[in-house]
Amino acid sequence: MKVLVIGASGTIGSQIVKALAAEHEVIKANHSSGDVQIDISSTASIHSVFESIGKVDAIVCAAGNVAFNAFSELSREEWDLGINSRLMGQVNLTQIGSKYLHDGGNITLTSGIIADYPIAYGSSAAALNGAIEHFAKAVSVELPRNIRINVVSPTVVTESLETYGDYFPGFNSINAEDLAKYYVRSVLGVETGQTFKAFAGN
C-alpha cells in the first residue's frame, strides 16, 4: 500500500510510520519537513500535496492544532486556530483526499479523549474533537468507491506527559507505540465510520 501520514515526525505520527513502513510505502508529511510539506488549514496546500504525490491507498492524519484556555478567556483567534486546523483541516483533507484515493482506500483522522471526558481549559478541544467524530460517522455513508473513514481518539500519550500531564490529572496514558496500532487497525481493517477509543480504563 501507498500511505500518506500527516504529522509523521510527531510523537504519534513517528510510531504510525514505524508500524506501517516495514510492509508499505509511507510518504511522510509535516508542516515544514518530511517527504512533502503540508498545512492542513490550507486547501491550496492540500491540493498541492496530492498533485505532487498522486493516488494513494490510505491517508492518516495525526496532526491538527487546538488552543487550550479557560472558556471565559478563549478568544475568537484561539477558536479559529482549532476550527481551521483540527476540524476543517481534517474535513478538507477528507473531501480533497478522497478524490486521490484508490478504490477501497482509507482515511484515518484524529480526535481525542477530551470529547468524552472534560478537562480544565479543554472546551475548544472537546467541541472540535466531538465534531470530527460525528463528521466521520456521517460522511462514511457518502464516500464513494468503498472508501472507508475512521477516527482514532487517544488519551494523553505517555511520551507527552511532561508537557501535557498537568492537564490530565488521574488519566491513564497510552504509549505511542501502542496507540499506533489503532491507526494500523483503521488502515488495514474493514471498519468504517467508527471512532476507536484509545483510552481503555478511563
Side-chain angles (χ1 to χ4, degrees):
M1 295 177 65
K2 183 178 177 182
V3 184
L4 173 66
V5 177
I6 300 168
S9 66
T11 302
I12 299 171
S14 60
Q15 290 298 321
I16 298 169
V17 170
K18 183 178 177 181
L20 291 170
E23 298 184 11
H24 305 280
E25 177 189 355
V26 176
I27 302 169
K28 293 176 283 188
N30 298 293
H31 194 272
S32 56
S33 64
D35 301 316
V36 292
Q37 289 76 55
I38 189 169
D39 176 3
I40 64 169
S41 67
S42 164
T43 55
S45 178
I46 297 171
H47 276 292
S48 177
V49 164
F50 283 109
E51 284 296 309
S52 70
I53 66 173
K55 292 233 175 182
V56 297
D57 297 292
I59 301 164
V60 177
C61 184
N65 295 320
V66 67
F68 289 86
N69 202 351
F71 176 67
S72 61
E73 302 297 326
L74 272 169
S75 66
R76 180 56 199 254
E77 289 75 19
E78 288 174 315
W79 274 105
D80 284 345
L81 171 70
I83 291 169
N84 294 333
S85 180
R86 176 65 61 90
L87 178 56
M88 289 310 301
Q90 296 193 93
V91 170
N92 290 331
L93 181 66
T94 300
Q95 187 176 50
I96 297 166
S98 62
K99 297 177 174 65
Y100 292 87
L101 279 171
H102 291 297
D103 293 359
N106 166 259
I107 301 168
T108 306
L109 308 179
T110 298
S111 62
I113 192 173
I114 305 170
D116 296 276
Y117 297 94
I119 64 167
Y121 308 107
S123 57
S124 176
L128 301 171
N129 286 340
I132 283 293
E133 295 175 10
H134 288 288
F135 161 72
K137 182 178 180 180
V139 81
S140 68
V141 301
E142 292 192 46
L143 291 174
R145 299 181 287 107
N146 295 317
I147 291 172
R148 298 180 300 106
I149 184 169
N150 295 300
V151 180
V152 176
S153 175
T155 184
V156 62
V157 178
T158 304
E159 290 87 341
S160 300
L161 283 173
E162 186 174 342
T163 303
Y164 297 108
D166 289 346
Y167 287 102
F168 296 89
F171 281 67
N172 293 325
S173 64
I174 187 170
N175 295 331
E177 183 178 0
D178 291 331
L179 175 56
K181 295 173 184 176
Y182 288 87
Y183 290 88
V184 173
R185 171 181 164 186
S186 177
V187 171
L188 302 181
V190 298
E191 296 164 282
T192 190
Q194 303 300 307
T195 295
F196 302 141
K197 307 286 187 177
F199 48 85
N202 281 286

